[in-house]
Amino acid sequence: MYALKYQGNKEIGLFFGRKLAAAMVATKEDYDGIIGVPLHVKRRRKRGFNQVDIIGKAAAKALDIPYYGTALVRTKNTPPLSKVNGERNAILVNAFEINQQLPAGKYYLLLDDIFTTGATLNACASILLEETAISLSIASVAYRN
């Protein structure tokens, strides 16, 4: 994941996307789309891309379902949560907003790259479920303890 995020090795993101698609098929769930966790505009500008978009687009393409990379927008430039001590959930209060209306009554996979405490996925899922009439599952391609 480090090589993808910080060295720009996008082939790794495509690999993870294909693996994610295979895992999604194995669950026998019928997803209507994938929603990517956004980066703040400053971090995206610095990195040049959102690694979640690369993974999510590859998975969506393999499954022939839509990828929603702009459904959410990150409104707070939070520090990388892996480097923060203390209450991660509090840091993410009001950090995301709905940016794109999703078709109601559909089932989506909310995707992040790395799961540490679940705070980011929880914040995104909360706003999506609060403000839209959709169902969600969550996924990440890596876990950090």
Side-chain angles (χ1 to χ4, degrees), residues 2 24-25 28 30 47 51 65 74 76 82 117 137:
Y2 184 91
M24 291 169 71
V25 168
K28 296 186 171 47
D30 191 20
R47 190 171 294 158
Q51 66 280 356
I65 59 175
R74 192 176 207 124
K76 284 172 61 176
S82 62
T117 65
S137 285

Side-chain angles (χ1 to χ4, degrees), residues 29-47:
E29 296 287 341
D30 191 20
Y31 296 99
D32 296 300
I34 300 172
I35 302 167
V37 170
L39 288 178
H40 189 270
V41 67
K42 287 182 181 178
R43 190 169 299 154
R44 185 182 181 112
R45 195 176 302 128
K46 181 179 178 184
R47 190 171 294 158

Side-chain angles (χ1 to χ4, degrees), residues 21-134:
M24 291 169 71
V25 168
T27 67
K28 296 186 171 47
E29 296 287 341
D30 191 20
Y31 296 99
D32 296 300
I34 300 172
I35 302 167
V37 170
L39 288 178
H40 189 270
V41 67
K42 287 182 181 178
R43 190 169 299 154
R44 185 182 181 112
R45 195 176 302 128
K46 181 179 178 184
R47 190 171 294 158
F49 61 93
N50 180 353
Q51 66 280 356
V52 173
D53 287 343
I54 295 168
I55 298 164
K57 286 177 184 178
K61 181 178 179 183
L63 296 169
D64 196 28
I65 59 175
Y67 177 71
Y68 299 93
T70 59
L72 294 169
V73 64
R74 192 176 207 124
T75 56
K76 284 172 61 176
N77 190 14
T78 58
L81 294 184
S82 62
K83 297 180 180 179
V84 173
N85 291 324
E87 184 55 48
R88 289 172 169 92
N89 290 322
I91 293 168
L92 290 168
V93 170
N94 299 318
F96 299 95
E97 290 180 358
I98 301 289
N99 187 52
Q100 175 186 4
Q101 195 60 36
L102 298 167
K106 303 289 184 176
Y107 182 39
Y108 299 93
L109 183 74
L110 176 61
L111 175 65
D112 201 1
D113 58 343
I114 300 173
F115 185 101
T116 303
T117 65
T120 301
L121 285 167
N122 185 53
C124 290
S126 293
I127 193 89
L128 284 165
L129 294 173
E130 194 175 288
E131 297 188 21
T132 63
I134 64 170

